[in-house]
Amino acid sequence: YSIFKNLFTDDAKHLVPNKMRDFFCTINLDQEEVFRTQVVEKSLSPYFGDEFYFEIPRTFQWLSFYIYDKSVLQKDLRIGKVSIKKEDLCNYTGKENWFMLQPVDSNSEVQGKVHLELKLNELITDNGSVCQQLVVHIKECHGLPLINGQNCDPYATVSLVGPSRNDQKKTKVKKKTSNPQFNETFYFEVTRSSSYTKKSQFQVEEEDIEKLEVRVDLWNNGNLVQDIFLGEIKVPVKVLRNDSFQAWYLLQPRENGNKSSKTDDLGSLRLNICYTEDCVLPSEYYTPLRNLLLKSSDVQPISASAAYILSEVCRDKYDAVLPLVRLLLHHHKLVPFVAAVAELDLKDTQEANTIFRGNSLATRCVDEMMKIVGKHYLKVTLKPVIDEICESPKPCEIDPIKLKEGDNVEINMENLRYYVDKVFREIVRSSISCPTLMCDVFYSLRHLAAKRFPNDPHVQYSAVSSFVFLRFFAVAVVSPHTFHLRPHHPDAQTSRTLTLISKAIQTLGSWGSLSKSKLSSFKETFMCEFFKTFQEEKFTESVKKFLDDVSSTESKEPSGVSEPVHLKEGEMYKRAQGRTRIGKKNFKKRWFCLTSREFTYHKQQDKEPIFTIPIKNILAVEKLDESSFNKKNMFQVLHGEKPLYIQANNCVEASEWIEALCRVTRCNQKRLSFYHPSAFLNGSWLCCKATAESTEGCARCTAGVPADTQIEIDGDRETERIYSLFTINRPKLQKLEEACGSIAVYQGPRKEPDDYSNFTIEDSVATFHTLQQIIDILEKLSESHEKYQKKRSSSAKYGSE
């Protein structure tokens, strides 16, 4: 299963305690925090406005959102939570919902799974009678939560529970581990022989087996404080019959978990959650659908292609665009497809000044392409200046209505002009960094526009500026957190400054493509006054030169002195190099930074690096077994010296760092084929027990070499997503098929136009032929999915995850 989600934490209202406090929100997979919003100060209804997109690297039961009251001197107070079961996420996806906050109850805060083997034996006693014995082998647990930021000290109680009995036994305590290996076996007598009298306290009637259950409770040993409940599972004895039975069980909350006697209204939280989960089959199953989609740009007319039909039947074009663009990108088929749908778009464009202004398939494809391909381009171009604006903001309000008492509009205008000049200068100087794929698309759009409006000299520029300025740079400036230029949504004043800068960049970007008569048309008078300070001709020439450069097919290889591309940064823990002692003191918090040239760590952000590894020297990046240091979410960077052991703050962060490091190093010539999954401690490798530190690894490295090291795309996963979209919209496919048949038969006025008037049908015969191919492929893929699900369900055991 491949899973990813898009999460927006919007705002909360009427929070308790009923006074102005500082609030923040966390996103948790079960009990593991994976994201945290910024703190909103002095509010009862905080607006967070943060967006989080991430892939889920492990199984989980609950997606939870916790609201905290920030405390300076004491532990942050949990006000309440919203918990959504994994199976229920589909009910809330794609729309905003208000959720009532629930109280945080320790009996419902569970995470992890337990591996059990159960068996019901029949024993023959000395006198020849038969009795039954239950054997419970508790093997191990996996993924137990951290307690106060540290691995827990878990133990388990195993009970046989019935109407008149509760026999309980207990395992040994395992120290400092989230994945304890218990390997303990317990025996329980289920029935006694018939030689016992009815009055005997040991007598258990045969039918009472129906009421017996095995209960396993996990606890954290508190030593001097109260033990903490970690979760429980219950298995009815009747399901065992006479078979040996083993399975992994997800730990569950107690029966009274998440139910509280409190009836107080804790407030509510507004969320927009987008969650998808796909079952991806082996690659060969997708060959027919993939081939049909990839040849879309060759189909005449383009509206009869499978890719275009996908966009026609999806209610929201964005649902179709994302997997389609990624699939076409992966197979180098995007540019001809965009050119074909843009040409169809231009047929319906009557005026040059409205070119590519709507939300058509062509414009959405280019938008999505720029987000994927232009991610690093945005960072290297805008991040330094956006950081300056957000971290050292100057007042820039120039709207007389919004000015506060004491504001100086002339100083504000100078500040705004300084920022606009700096952002504009960075953009028009950045053409050498513009990705080749973006340049190829802009080149196609420019020439198609000039062909459609041959008498308009400005249209070739407006075709490009409508994307690169209006839909790329201007959008990134006003929403830097969405494009990962900033970690959080900016505050209200900074957001207003970025909005004004974005407006200015949109206007300046259009100067190279508009005639003089249109330059003075502004919606706001104060913006008109602001632009009187600009020298129009100077900016116009700069814009035209930039648009010429980014829509050229000439090679723009950067020079050897070009700046490295900033890829990722953040705070993690690293194990001290060259030391032998083990323990908490051996790990230090450091600021890590990854660029296209080197991987460094620093004592603090913005300080000089303490340690640097050139990217070309990295030999492998792999996960590290938790058993090495009894720490979760660890990975290792192998280079010329000793391995660098790093602990991330959560599973999502660890996965993202490993992926980023693998992507930037996968073309290194000296990459290792084998590695050690555990550490070298006390004179031997913990994994293979080899005593020489130079011994070759005992496990094969996991990372392969992708076709494209810049963009990580799973073609099969995107094709599966497209299959799901076609399947969901099967009724519309059939309606479109009927429409094509009706047009082909009657060749005259369309009957019942309401049924298919929204479809674009240029060639009914070609469209009908493609539809038949799509439906045939869907039926075969559906059969393959059904076979897989049957196979999976037949091999699944009761209680297994």
Side-chain angles (χ1 to χ4, degrees), residues 111-168:
Q111 173 184 306
K113 56 187 179 180
V114 59
H115 192 190
L116 291 182
E117 183 176 8
L118 305 170
K119 191 174 183 180
L120 202 57
N121 290 334
E122 284 192 350
L123 299 179
I124 300 177
T125 63
D126 293 338
N127 62 9
S129 61
V130 178
C131 66
Q132 287 187 304
Q133 181 189 58
L134 175 68
V135 182
V136 181
H137 180 193
I138 178 166
K139 294 187 173 185
E140 59 182 318
C141 291
H142 183 80
L144 298 181
L146 299 178
I147 304 296
N148 296 324
Q150 300 294 319
N151 280 333
C152 54
D153 295 338
Y155 70 89
T157 59
V158 183
S159 308
L160 182 63
V161 181
S164 58
R165 66 188 291 180
N166 186 356
D167 302 340
Q168 186 178 95

Coordinates of all heavy atoms in Angstrom, one line a residue, residues 111-168:
Q111 N -0.4 3.0 21.0 CA 0.3 2.9 19.7 C 1.1 1.6 19.7 O 1.6 1.1 20.8 CB 1.3 4.1 19.6 CG 2.3 4.0 18.4 CD 3.2 5.1 18.4 OE1 2.8 6.3 18.5 NE2 4.5 4.8 18.4
G112 N 1.3 1.0 18.6 CA 2.1 -0.2 18.4 C 1.3 -1.5 18.2 O 0.1 -1.5 18.1
K113 N 2.1 -2.6 18.2 CA 1.4 -3.9 18.0 C 2.2 -5.0 18.8 O 3.3 -4.8 19.1 CB 1.4 -4.2 16.5 CG 2.7 -4.2 15.8 CD 2.6 -4.4 14.3 CE 4.0 -4.3 13.6 NZ 3.9 -4.4 12.2
V114 N 1.5 -6.1 19.0 CA 2.1 -7.2 19.7 C 2.0 -8.5 18.9 O 0.9 -8.7 18.3 CB 1.4 -7.3 21.1 CG1 -0.1 -7.6 21.0 CG2 2.1 -8.5 21.9
H115 N 3.0 -9.4 19.0 CA 3.0 -10.6 18.3 C 2.7 -11.8 19.2 O 3.5 -12.0 20.2 CB 4.4 -10.8 17.6 CG 4.4 -11.9 16.6 ND1 5.6 -12.4 16.0 CD2 3.4 -12.7 16.1 CE1 5.3 -13.3 15.2 NE2 4.0 -13.5 15.2
L116 N 1.7 -12.5 19.0 CA 1.2 -13.6 19.9 C 1.1 -14.9 19.2 O 0.8 -14.9 18.0 CB -0.1 -13.3 20.5 CG -0.3 -12.1 21.5 CD1 -1.7 -12.1 22.0 CD2 0.7 -12.3 22.7
E117 N 1.4 -16.0 19.9 CA 1.1 -17.3 19.4 C 0.2 -18.0 20.4 O 0.6 -18.0 21.6 CB 2.4 -18.1 19.2 CG 2.1 -19.5 18.6 CD 3.3 -20.3 18.3 OE1 4.4 -19.9 18.6 OE2 3.2 -21.4 17.7
L118 N -0.9 -18.5 20.0 CA -1.9 -19.1 20.9 C -2.2 -20.5 20.5 O -2.3 -20.8 19.3 CB -3.2 -18.2 21.0 CG -3.1 -16.7 21.3 CD1 -4.4 -16.0 21.0 CD2 -2.6 -16.5 22.7
K119 N -2.4 -21.4 21.5 CA -2.7 -22.8 21.2 C -3.5 -23.3 22.3 O -3.3 -23.1 23.5 CB -1.4 -23.6 21.0 CG -1.6 -24.9 20.5 CD -0.3 -25.6 20.2 CE -0.5 -27.0 19.5 NZ 0.8 -27.7 19.3
L120 N -4.5 -24.1 21.9 CA -5.4 -24.8 22.8 C -5.0 -26.3 22.8 O -5.3 -27.0 21.8 CB -6.9 -24.6 22.5 CG -7.9 -24.8 23.5 CD1 -7.6 -23.9 24.7 CD2 -9.3 -24.5 23.0
N121 N -4.4 -26.8 23.8 CA -4.0 -28.3 23.9 C -5.0 -29.1 24.6 O -5.7 -28.6 25.6 CB -2.6 -28.4 24.6 CG -1.5 -27.8 23.7 OD1 -1.6 -27.7 22.5 ND2 -0.4 -27.4 24.4
E122 N -5.1 -30.4 24.2 CA -5.8 -31.4 25.0 C -4.8 -32.2 25.8 O -3.9 -32.8 25.1 CB -6.7 -32.2 24.1 CG -7.9 -31.5 23.7 CD -9.0 -32.4 23.0 OE1 -8.6 -33.6 22.8 OE2 -10.1 -32.0 22.8
L123 N -4.9 -32.4 27.1 CA -4.0 -33.2 27.9 C -4.7 -34.3 28.5 O -5.9 -34.2 28.9 CB -3.4 -32.3 29.0 CG -2.6 -31.1 28.6 CD1 -2.1 -30.3 29.8 CD2 -1.4 -31.5 27.7
I124 N -4.1 -35.5 28.5 CA -4.6 -36.7 29.2 C -4.0 -36.8 30.5 O -2.8 -36.9 30.7 CB -4.4 -37.9 28.3 CG1 -5.0 -37.8 26.9 CG2 -4.9 -39.2 29.0 CD1 -4.7 -38.9 26.0
T125 N -4.8 -36.8 31.5 CA -4.3 -36.9 32.9 C -4.0 -38.3 33.3 O -4.2 -39.3 32.5 CB -5.4 -36.4 33.9 OG1 -6.6 -37.3 33.8 CG2 -5.8 -35.0 33.6
D126 N -3.4 -38.5 34.5 CA -3.0 -39.8 34.9 C -4.1 -40.8 35.0 O -3.9 -42.0 34.8 CB -2.3 -39.7 36.3 CG -1.0 -38.9 36.3 OD1 -0.4 -38.8 35.2 OD2 -0.6 -38.4 37.3
N127 N -5.3 -40.4 35.3 CA -6.4 -41.3 35.4 C -7.1 -41.5 34.0 O -8.2 -42.1 33.9 CB -7.5 -40.8 36.4 CG -8.0 -39.5 36.1 OD1 -7.8 -39.0 35.0 ND2 -8.8 -38.9 37.0
G128 N -6.5 -40.9 33.0 CA -7.1 -41.2 31.6 C -8.1 -40.2 31.1 O -8.6 -40.2 30.0
S129 N -8.5 -39.2 32.0 CA -9.5 -38.2 31.6 C -8.8 -37.1 30.8 O -7.6 -36.9 30.8 CB -10.2 -37.6 32.8 OG -9.2 -37.0 33.6
V130 N -9.6 -36.3 30.0 CA -9.1 -35.3 29.1 C -9.4 -33.9 29.7 O -10.5 -33.6 30.1 CB -9.7 -35.4 27.7 CG1 -9.2 -34.3 26.8 CG2 -9.3 -36.8 27.1
C131 N -8.4 -33.0 29.7 CA -8.6 -31.6 30.0 C -7.9 -30.7 29.0 O -7.1 -31.2 28.2 CB -8.1 -31.3 31.4 SG -6.3 -31.4 31.6
Q132 N -8.3 -29.4 29.0 CA -7.8 -28.5 28.0 C -6.9 -27.5 28.6 O -7.1 -27.0 29.8 CB -8.9 -27.8 27.2 CG -9.6 -28.7 26.3 CD -10.6 -28.0 25.4 OE1 -11.5 -27.3 26.0 NE2 -10.5 -28.0 24.1
Q133 N -5.8 -27.1 27.9 CA -4.8 -26.2 28.4 C -4.5 -25.1 27.3 O -4.4 -25.4 26.2 CB -3.5 -26.9 28.7 CG -2.4 -26.0 29.3 CD -1.1 -26.8 29.4 OE1 -0.6 -27.3 28.4 NE2 -0.5 -26.9 30.6
L134 N -4.5 -23.9 27.7 CA -4.3 -22.7 26.8 C -2.8 -22.3 27.0 O -2.3 -22.1 28.1 CB -5.2 -21.5 27.2 CG -4.9 -20.3 26.4 CD1 -5.2 -20.4 24.9 CD2 -5.7 -19.1 26.9
V135 N -2.1 -22.3 25.8 CA -0.7 -21.9 25.8 C -0.6 -20.5 25.1 O -1.0 -20.3 24.0 CB 0.2 -22.9 25.0 CG1 1.7 -22.4 25.1 CG2 0.0 -24.3 25.6
V136 N -0.1 -19.5 25.8 CA 0.1 -18.1 25.3 C 1.6 -17.8 25.2 O 2.2 -17.7 26.2 CB -0.6 -17.1 26.1 CG1 -0.5 -15.7 25.5 CG2 -2.1 -17.4 26.3
H137 N 2.1 -17.7 24.0 CA 3.5 -17.3 23.8 C 3.5 -15.8 23.3 O 3.1 -15.5 22.2 CB 4.1 -18.2 22.7 CG 5.5 -17.9 22.5 ND1 6.2 -18.4 21.4 CD2 6.4 -17.1 23.1 CE1 7.5 -18.0 21.4 NE2 7.6 -17.2 22.4
I138 N 3.9 -14.9 24.2 CA 4.1 -13.5 23.8 C 5.5 -13.3 23.3 O 6.4 -13.4 24.0 CB 3.7 -12.6 25.0 CG1 3.9 -11.1 24.5 CG2 4.5 -12.9 26.2 CD1 3.3 -10.1 25.5
K139 N 5.6 -13.1 22.0 CA 6.9 -13.0 21.3 C 7.5 -11.7 21.4 O 8.6 -11.5 22.0 CB 6.7 -13.4 19.9 CG 6.3 -14.9 19.7 CD 6.4 -15.3 18.2 CE 6.1 -16.8 18.0 NZ 6.2 -17.2 16.6
E140 N 6.9 -10.6 20.9 CA 7.5 -9.3 20.9 C 6.5 -8.2 20.6 O 5.3 -8.5 20.3 CB 8.5 -9.3 19.7 CG 7.9 -9.6 18.3 CD 8.9 -9.6 17.2 OE1 9.8 -8.7 17.2 OE2 8.9 -10.4 16.3
C141 N 6.9 -7.0 20.8 CA 6.1 -5.9 20.5 C 6.8 -5.0 19.5 O 8.1 -5.0 19.5 CB 5.7 -5.0 21.7 SG 4.5 -5.9 22.8
H142 N 6.1 -4.1 18.8 CA 6.8 -3.2 17.9 C 6.1 -1.9 17.9 O 4.9 -1.8 17.9 CB 6.8 -3.8 16.4 CG 7.5 -2.9 15.4 ND1 8.9 -3.0 15.3 CD2 7.1 -2.0 14.6 CE1 9.2 -2.1 14.4 NE2 8.2 -1.5 13.9
G143 N 6.9 -0.8 17.9 CA 6.4 0.5 17.7 C 5.7 1.1 19.0 O 4.8 1.9 18.8
L144 N 6.1 0.7 20.2 CA 5.5 1.3 21.4 C 5.9 2.8 21.4 O 6.9 3.2 20.9 CB 6.0 0.5 22.6 CG 5.6 -1.0 22.7 CD1 6.1 -1.6 24.0 CD2 4.1 -1.1 22.6
P145 N 5.1 3.6 22.1 CA 5.3 5.0 22.1 C 6.5 5.4 23.0 O 6.9 4.6 23.9 CB 4.0 5.6 22.6 CG 3.5 4.5 23.5 CD 3.8 3.3 22.8
L146 N 7.0 6.6 22.7 CA 8.0 7.2 23.6 C 7.3 7.7 24.9 O 6.2 8.2 24.8 CB 8.8 8.3 23.0 CG 9.6 8.0 21.7 CD1 10.2 9.2 21.1 CD2 10.7 6.9 22.0
I147 N 8.0 7.6 26.0 CA 7.5 8.2 27.3 C 8.4 9.3 27.7 O 9.6 9.1 27.9 CB 7.4 7.1 28.4 CG1 6.6 5.9 27.9 CG2 6.8 7.7 29.7 CD1 5.1 6.2 27.6
N148 N 7.8 10.5 27.7 CA 8.6 11.7 28.0 C 9.8 11.8 27.1 O 10.9 12.2 27.6 CB 9.0 11.7 29.5 CG 7.8 11.8 30.4 OD1 6.8 12.4 30.1 ND2 7.9 11.1 31.6
G149 N 9.6 11.5 25.8 CA 10.7 11.6 24.9 C 11.7 10.5 24.9 O 12.7 10.5 24.1
Q150 N 11.6 9.5 25.8 CA 12.5 8.4 25.9 C 11.8 7.1 25.6 O 10.6 6.9 25.7 CB 13.1 8.4 27.3 CG 13.9 9.6 27.7 CD 15.1 9.9 26.8 OE1 15.9 8.9 26.5 NE2 15.4 11.1 26.5
N151 N 12.7 6.1 25.1 CA 12.1 4.7 25.0 C 11.5 4.3 26.3 O 12.1 4.6 27.4 CB 13.2 3.8 24.5 CG 13.4 3.9 23.0 OD1 12.5 4.2 22.3 ND2 14.6 3.5 22.6
C152 N 10.5 3.5 26.3 CA 9.8 3.0 27.5 C 10.5 1.8 28.1 O 11.3 1.2 27.5 CB 8.3 2.8 27.2 SG 8.0 1.6 25.8
D153 N 10.0 1.4 29.3 CA 10.4 0.2 30.0 C 9.2 -0.7 30.0 O 8.5 -0.8 31.1 CB 10.9 0.5 31.4 CG 12.2 1.4 31.5 OD1 12.9 1.4 30.4 OD2 12.4 2.0 32.5
P154 N 8.9 -1.4 29.0 CA 7.6 -2.1 28.9 C 7.6 -3.5 29.5 O 8.7 -4.2 29.7 CB 7.4 -2.3 27.4 CG 8.8 -2.3 26.8 CD 9.7 -1.5 27.7
Y155 N 6.5 -3.9 30.0 CA 6.2 -5.3 30.4 C 4.7 -5.6 30.0 O 4.0 -4.7 29.7 CB 6.4 -5.5 31.9 CG 5.5 -4.8 32.8 CD1 4.3 -5.5 33.2 CD2 5.7 -3.5 33.3 CE1 3.4 -4.9 34.1 CE2 4.8 -2.9 34.2 CZ 3.6 -3.6 34.6 OH 2.8 -3.0 35.4
A156 N 4.4 -6.8 30.0 CA 3.0 -7.2 29.6 C 2.4 -8.1 30.7 O 3.1 -8.9 31.4 CB 3.1 -8.0 28.3
T157 N 1.1 -7.9 30.9 CA 0.3 -8.9 31.7 C -0.5 -9.7 30.8 O -1.1 -9.2 29.8 CB -0.5 -8.1 32.7 OG1 -1.5 -7.3 32.0 CG2 0.3 -7.3 33.7
V158 N -0.6 -11.0 31.0 CA -1.3 -11.9 30.2 C -2.4 -12.5 31.1 O -2.1 -13.1 32.1 CB -0.5 -13.0 29.6 CG1 -1.3 -13.9 28.7 CG2 0.7 -12.4 28.8
S159 N -3.7 -12.4 30.7 CA -4.8 -12.8 31.6 C -5.7 -13.7 30.8 O -5.9 -13.6 29.6 CB -5.6 -11.6 32.1 OG -4.7 -10.7 32.7
L160 N -6.3 -14.7 31.5 CA -7.4 -15.5 31.0 C -8.6 -15.0 31.8 O -8.7 -15.2 33.0 CB -7.2 -17.0 31.1 CG -8.3 -17.9 30.6 CD1 -8.4 -17.7 29.1 CD2 -8.0 -19.4 30.9
V161 N -9.6 -14.4 31.1 CA -10.7 -13.8 31.7 C -12.0 -14.4 31.4 O -12.2 -14.7 30.2 CB -10.7 -12.3 31.4 CG1 -11.9 -11.6 32.1 CG2 -9.4 -11.6 31.7
G162 N -12.8 -14.7 32.3 CA -14.2 -15.2 32.1 C -15.1 -14.7 33.1 O -14.8 -13.9 34.0
P163 N -16.4 -15.2 33.1 CA -17.4 -14.7 34.0 C -17.0 -14.9 35.5 O -17.4 -14.1 36.3 CB -18.7 -15.6 33.7 CG -18.4 -16.0 32.3 CD -16.9 -16.2 32.1
S164 N -16.3 -16.0 35.8 CA -16.0 -16.2 37.2 C -14.5 -16.4 37.4 O -14.1 -17.1 38.4 CB -16.8 -17.4 37.7 OG -16.4 -18.6 36.9
R165 N -13.7 -15.9 36.5 CA -12.2 -16.1 36.7 C -11.4 -15.0 36.1 O -11.9 -14.4 35.1 CB -11.8 -17.5 36.2 CG -11.9 -17.6 34.7 CD -11.6 -19.0 34.2 NE -10.2 -19.4 34.4 CZ -9.7 -20.5 34.1 NH1 -10.5 -21.5 33.6 NH2 -8.4 -20.8 34.2
N166 N -10.3 -14.7 36.6 CA -9.3 -13.7 36.1 C -7.9 -14.1 36.5 O -7.4 -13.7 37.5 CB -9.7 -12.3 36.6 CG -8.9 -11.3 35.9 OD1 -8.0 -11.6 35.1 ND2 -9.1 -10.0 36.2
D167 N -7.4 -15.1 35.7 CA -6.0 -15.6 36.0 C -5.0 -14.7 35.3 O -5.1 -14.5 34.1 CB -5.8 -17.0 35.5 CG -6.8 -18.0 36.2 OD1 -7.4 -17.6 37.2 OD2 -7.1 -19.0 35.6
Q168 N -4.1 -14.1 36.0 CA -3.2 -13.1 35.4 C -1.7 -13.5 35.7 O -1.3 -13.9 36.8 CB -3.4 -11.7 36.0 CG -2.6 -10.6 35.3 CD -2.9 -9.2 35.8 OE1 -2.2 -8.8 36.7 NE2 -4.0 -8.6 35.3

